[in-house]
Amino acid sequence: MLTRLNTYCSRFFLVMAGCCCFYIVFVETSFGNQLTKEPDKTYGAEQARKVSQPAKRWVTTDHSRHTVLQQEFASPEDVTKACLTCHNEASRQIHKTIHWTWTDPADSEKLMGKNGLTLNNFCISIHSNESRCTSCHAGYGWKDGQFDLSKEEAVDCLVCHDTTGTYEKFPTKAGYPAIKPTKFGKKTFQPPNYTVIAASVGRPTRTNCGVCHFFGGGGDGVKHGDLDSSLFNPSRELDVHMNAEGANFTCQRCHSTDAHFIAGRTYKQPAFTDRRSLIEDDLVKRISCESCHTATPHALGHKANDHTDKVACQTCHIPAFARVKPTKMYWDWSTAGKMKDGKPYKVKGAHGKASYMTKKGRFVWEKDVQPEYFWYNGKMDYLLVTDKIDPNSVVKVNSVEGDRNDPDSRITPFKVHRGKQPYDSMNMTMGIPHLFGKDKAAYWKGFDWNNALEVGMAAAGVPYSGEYGFVETEYHYPITHMVAPKEKTLACDTCHAKDGRLATLAGFYMPGRDRSGLLDFIGWFTVIAALIGVIIHGIMRIISKPKEQ
Amino acid sequence: MSSTKLYLYTRFERFWHWAQAALIIVLLVTGFEVHGSFSLLGFGTAVTVHNFCAWTWLVLYAFIVFWIITTGEWRHYVPTFVKMFEVIQYYMSGIFKGEVHPVPKSERIKHNPLQRITYLGIVSLLVPFQIVTGFLYYVYNDWLAFGWALNLFTIAILHTAGAFAMLAFSVVHIYMTTTGHHPLSHIKAMFTGYEELETKEKM
């Protein structure tokens, strides 16, 4: 009996010793990795490096040797016609994209988009302001509601394919470059040398995309906060993918293109819907971080890998936006129209940017801005100019879709641009002002809201009652560019803290942030009661001791 | 007052006592930091250290349980009510009058009835409770894969409640070490293994 017990005991001990060895291996792989070792090269990073290597392109033509391009071009449309002699599908491809239609291709009713009935809280809407807004359209001559969107030669090939850096559209000419040297503000715009530019066309660079997308809202960094001119040549600190010493990504590295269709989010359509990576499918669009980095991009056993189901990569990897150039955070149209000595004026504010302009009202610019965080499934909902609003609460011109219980939703950083803008106070709809133009009704000429709204809303085909007011609004931009290097990512306790960045996201338990007040009260009460108890007991022992002797 | 020495605590017993003491302290500190009570190491480091100590304790705990069973030490943890009332009375009044402890330590009886029930409760209820709730907390990301419909808030609350219980025990336990023959004699015994016993004769 006793010997059998002995055998069992020694067997048990062997098992325990085995467990011990297993444990040492476990510690070596998990704990060791997290605290001491540099993360090993993971497959995601490996894949990312492969993708970031300069691609060998099979360029099989030298555009300077095409006789059709060796001519004096009378107009930019003639350049397009020349392009189309070879690239005979190109214009029709462009015509299907949002770059051309300015409405969301995913929206069958064509309501979503700048040419639809959506708005923002910057210059609000293009209707009646076309010749100013469409300076960024990839086309020529969209100066009013009559523009023919089916014209093939109106497509602007050069704005995307110029590699000389000399092709520029004039800001107020509905997408046309200058015909003769023309001053705009402090800058003089030169007419482009089409022959030289056409001879050297190539694949779009970051500059081609940037000349429009870095200046959204009509100025550097105005709109997005994560897209501004600092990305033309960013430091590693600012953007780990795009900096020249590193991978020097072009925009298309992630915004993969296919017959002029460029991957990316549109009004109703998420940038991507499947979360496959290049490892699973080598034809996958590279638009998401996961496409290259996989859903478990960190070293094996690293806690951050467990976060990718609920937290977007951007949340930790973009600690702040507008890190180099300031971005507009607040725009109050209701204060516009004040005159100094009967003339419009400007006030310079922080960051060398205007804090007040008679034309536009009061602004707040900010730099190095901490994002706001929302559950986001990749879709946004947009208010239409025909939708009823409640002027007593902040109107969400667009809103973030997503919910913590939705498996497609991740906690994602956003820039929220706040403002005050006109609305129709009888119809309870948002207003579209006619801002730009030489006519008296244009707000920037006549400074009369009533006239401006009447003309603007008529141009959009929506009713205006003749009564207006101003309402507080919010506009949301997902923050997804300006990815910081890994050593600049957010630390755990930026969010896992009582007043951390995620303090406003309710409805779920987050360690470090949430606790039960009742349990803490009972717990600390018990501990303190025990402490007081033993202190009293100890004091009584000390006092009673001399009595004993 | 004269005293005699008694070898009560073997080398492994002393080792596991102090190893557990250290682990409990580190686990409490890092655990309450993860809980958000204060900021010391930083949340990320606190989590890593807490997890490391938890795994360490789990292995140590297995060894301790094995040792207690195989050496027959479990006999010292069998609860008894014999003289329990006297022990309670001793700590409530007798200790102030200089009375002698009603259950003197001996090789046969290392723990008085109060110690027995407390230590048994901790080793068989509180520690396993913390292991189970802590493990559930640790594998939070795999709940879906395991098909568990748990709530992180509930698990966190239970684990924190266990931590408070452990902290309250520690306070009383540390104080009780000063009630020996000399304020430090119990602590000394846990290092040397020799417990100094008060003898009946008085000066």
Side-chain angles (χ1 to χ4, degrees):
Chain A
M1 178 68 196
L2 209 67
T3 42
R4 195 183 294 168
L5 190 73
N6 241 335
T7 331
Y8 285 140
C9 287
S10 48
R11 268 184 204 162
F12 183 64
F13 203 84
L14 269 175
V15 171
M16 291 309 301
C19 289
C20 206
C21 294
F22 179 77
Y23 173 64
I24 289 163
V25 172
F26 172 81
V27 166
E28 214 24 62
T29 52
S30 68
F31 181 68
N33 248 337
Q34 287 197 28
L35 270 192
T36 55
K37 283 188 208 158
E38 266 286 287
D40 294 328
K41 279 184 187 173
T42 59
Y43 195 57
E46 198 72 51
Q47 196 66 31
R49 259 185 288 278
K50 216 187 287 173
V51 173
S52 70
Q53 251 143 44
K56 284 199 189 87
R57 298 292 196 188
W58 299 332
V59 178
T60 54
T61 193
D62 177 353
H63 284 93
S64 69
R65 288 168 58 195
H66 286 290
T67 44
V68 70
L69 298 179
Q70 294 162 348
Q71 54 163 304
E72 287 292 317
F73 293 101
S75 70
E77 282 97 335
D78 289 346
V79 183
T80 302
K81 278 183 201 157
C83 300
L84 293 175
T85 57
C86 292
H87 302 277
N88 53 27
E89 280 295 312
S91 276
R92 278 196 287 269
Q93 288 171 354
I94 290 286
H95 281 178
K96 287 182 194 147
T97 69
I98 195 166
H99 271 141
W100 181 258
T101 60
W102 279 20
T103 52
D104 183 0
D107 175 30
S108 55
E109 293 168 88
K110 303 289 168 216
L111 297 171
M112 297 292 157
K114 292 183 170 81
N115 194 31
L117 293 178
T118 56
L119 310 145
N120 62 43
N121 56 8
F122 291 88
C123 285
I124 302 176
S125 171
I126 70 157
H127 294 293
S128 77
N129 305 307
E130 283 88 352
S131 48
R132 180 72 179 91
C133 301
T134 55
S135 63
C136 268
H137 187 243
Y140 303 118
W142 187 348
K143 61 183 195 318
D144 52 35
Q146 308 306 311
F147 181 61
D148 179 6
L149 283 160
S150 68
K151 255 167 97 177
E152 286 197 44
E153 68 270 25
V155 170
D156 183 349
C157 305
L158 299 180
V159 72
C160 299
H161 294 282
D162 164 45
T163 61
T164 65
T166 60
Y167 180 80
E168 278 178 313
K169 288 158 163 283
F170 194 80
T172 60
K173 286 195 167 168
Y176 278 108
I179 296 166
K180 55 181 194 299
T182 316
K183 266 193 87 140
F184 183 82
K186 284 176 196 151
K187 199 178 157 185
T188 304
F189 285 77
Q190 300 293 338
N193 185 334
Y194 293 112
T195 318
V196 171
I197 291 167
S200 54
V201 288
R203 289 192 171 77
T205 63
R206 216 156 56 215
T207 310
N208 293 109
C209 307
V211 290
C212 282
H213 291 279
F214 295 165
F215 298 88
D220 194 1
V222 168
K223 257 187 191 168
H224 294 273
D226 63 337
L227 290 171
D228 61 42
S229 66
S230 65
L231 289 177
F232 281 134
N233 191 13
S235 63
R236 181 171 182 275
E237 194 103 310
L238 179 64
D239 195 298
V240 75
H241 297 110
M242 295 205 265
N243 81 103
E245 298 85 53
N248 204 6
F249 275 25
T250 60
C251 303
Q252 306 93 279
R253 283 278 184 211
C254 300
H255 293 269
S256 328
T257 61
D258 179 3
H260 284 113
F261 173 82
I262 299 170
R265 185 182 67 82
T266 57
Y267 288 76
K268 285 255 111 175
Q269 189 170 265
F272 52 92
T273 44
D274 56 357
R275 294 189 175 270
R276 274 174 308 160
S277 71
L278 287 162
I279 292 161
E280 292 147 276
D281 178 356
D282 65 351
L283 292 176
V284 82
K285 292 253 185 282
R286 292 195 293 261
I287 189 73
S288 72
C289 309
E290 283 177 42
S291 314
C292 294
H293 293 282
T294 77
T296 51
H298 309 94
L300 193 71
H302 197 289
K303 189 65 195 167
N305 281 335
D306 290 338
H307 283 63
T308 57
D309 58 338
K310 296 286 177 202
V311 183
C313 307
Q314 292 92 324
T315 297
C316 301
H317 289 269
I318 310 175
F321 59 84
R323 296 208 291 279
V324 175
K325 305 250 174 183
T327 188
K328 208 173 268 189
M329 296 302 291
Y330 187 78
W331 182 332
D332 182 358
W333 278 102
S334 72
T335 57
K338 287 181 213 159
M339 300 288 173
K340 212 178 223 170
D341 310 325
K343 276 182 181 168
Y345 70 104
K346 240 188 219 187
V347 179
K348 264 225 166 140
H351 311 293
K353 297 283 186 180
S355 62
Y356 180 79
M357 279 169 83
T358 302
K359 279 180 161 187
K360 299 178 178 181
R362 195 168 67 83
F363 302 137
V364 176
W365 290 79
E366 278 177 45
K367 226 178 99 172
D368 215 9
V369 191
Q370 184 180 310
E372 293 176 43
Y373 300 89
F374 301 98
W375 288 100
Y376 177 49
N377 62 15
K379 288 191 200 129
M380 307 277 282
D381 192 28
Y382 288 79
L383 183 82
L384 299 179
V385 69
T386 48
D387 289 340
K388 293 276 178 229
I389 57 143
D390 171 13
N392 298 314
S393 60
V394 177
V395 173
K396 287 183 173 167
V397 180
N398 75 352
S399 44
V400 182
E401 285 189 21
D403 180 86
R404 67 187 178 88
N405 294 319
D406 168 11
D408 287 334
S409 289
R410 305 280 186 283
I411 295 169
T412 309
F414 280 82
K415 169 186 168 175
V416 184
H417 181 258
R418 297 189 163 84
K420 248 185 172 177
Q421 62 192 95
Y423 77 104
D424 184 326
S425 54
M426 294 273 277
N427 293 333
M428 294 300 173
T429 56
M430 296 305 292
I432 291 179
H434 173 44
L435 298 169
F436 178 82
K438 290 198 161 56
D439 53 308
K440 262 278 176 206
Y443 185 77
W444 290 342
K445 273 271 177 286
F447 294 103
D448 185 308
W449 280 114
N450 225 350
N451 289 345
L453 287 166
E454 207 174 298
V455 172
M457 294 181 77
V462 289
Y464 175 57
S465 69
E467 300 282 323
Y468 70 91
F470 290 88
V471 65
E472 298 265 2
T473 58
E474 277 180 356
Y475 199 89
H476 303 78
Y477 287 102
I479 292 296
T480 194
H481 306 96
M482 296 186 179
V483 177
K486 62 180 174 189
E487 64 275 10
K488 296 281 175 186
T489 55
L490 288 187
C492 308
D493 44 14
T494 336
C495 297
H496 289 280
K498 211 175 169 199
D499 300 310
R501 290 197 179 190
L502 301 186
T504 55
L505 289 184
F508 63 99
Y509 181 84
M510 193 166 86
R513 183 191 71 171
D514 302 316
R515 68 205 71 173
S516 152
L518 180 67
L519 173 72
D520 271 24
F521 178 78
I522 296 171
W524 291 118
F525 182 83
T526 311
V527 171
I528 289 163
L531 200 62
I532 292 170
V534 297
I535 288 169
I536 291 171
H537 197 270
I539 290 169
M540 283 170 69
R541 270 168 61 212
I542 293 164
I543 294 168
S544 64
K545 211 167 189 182
K547 250 195 293 181
E548 167 206 344
Q549 282 173 340
Chain B
M1 223 189 281
S2 70
S3 62
T4 56
K5 277 187 170 184
L6 195 59
Y7 187 68
L8 278 188
Y9 312 114
T10 63
R11 206 183 300 169
F12 182 67
E13 213 169 0
R14 272 136 51 206
F15 165 75
W16 68 244
H17 173 267
W18 289 115
Q20 285 196 107
L23 286 170
I24 288 170
I25 290 167
V26 178
L27 282 165
L28 281 173
V29 170
T30 55
F32 277 108
E33 175 160 13
V34 171
H35 180 61
S37 301
F38 49 82
S39 185
L40 187 72
L41 302 172
F43 185 88
T45 315
V47 170
T48 312
V49 172
H50 193 81
N51 289 343
F52 176 75
C53 290
W55 284 110
T56 306
W57 197 4
L58 186 68
V59 173
L60 179 66
Y61 181 76
F63 274 94
I64 294 166
V65 170
F66 172 74
W67 181 86
I68 285 174
I69 293 168
T70 52
T71 55
E73 279 291 312
W74 54 269
R75 287 184 188 89
H76 293 292
Y77 300 91
V78 174
T80 172
F81 287 96
V82 178
K83 288 208 173 178
M84 183 179 281
F85 180 71
E86 284 89 333
V87 174
I88 292 170
Q89 204 169 40
Y90 167 74
Y91 284 118
M92 276 169 53
S93 69
I95 193 167
F96 306 122
K97 299 175 193 154
E99 282 173 15
V100 174
H101 199 289
V103 186
K105 287 188 186 300
S106 75
E107 272 158 359
R108 211 167 51 79
I109 307 156
K110 280 158 81 169
H111 304 315
N112 69 49
L114 275 186
Q115 285 177 302
R116 281 169 179 249
I117 199 135
T118 310
Y119 297 162
L120 180 71
I122 284 168
V123 81
S124 63
L125 295 175
L126 185 55
V127 175
F129 177 78
Q130 286 304 77
I131 289 173
V132 170
T133 54
F135 183 76
L136 289 175
Y137 202 147
Y138 182 79
V139 298
Y140 161 74
N141 281 87
D142 297 314
W143 289 0
L144 215 62
F146 295 151
W148 296 344
L150 297 168
N151 181 305
L152 186 61
F153 181 66
T154 313
I155 298 298
I157 285 287
L158 292 175
H159 197 62
T160 312
F164 275 120
M166 189 61 93
L167 182 57
F169 159 74
S170 304
V171 168
V172 178
H173 182 71
I174 291 165
Y175 169 73
M176 295 301 271
T177 62
T178 66
T179 60
H181 166 68
H182 183 269
L184 289 176
S185 59
H186 283 327
I187 296 172
K188 214 170 112 194
M190 279 324 293
F191 281 108
T192 61
Y194 287 96
E195 189 81 72
E196 273 181 86
L197 291 187
E198 245 175 287
T199 48
K200 297 253 178 195
E201 317 100 72
K202 298 245 166 110
M203 298 247 305

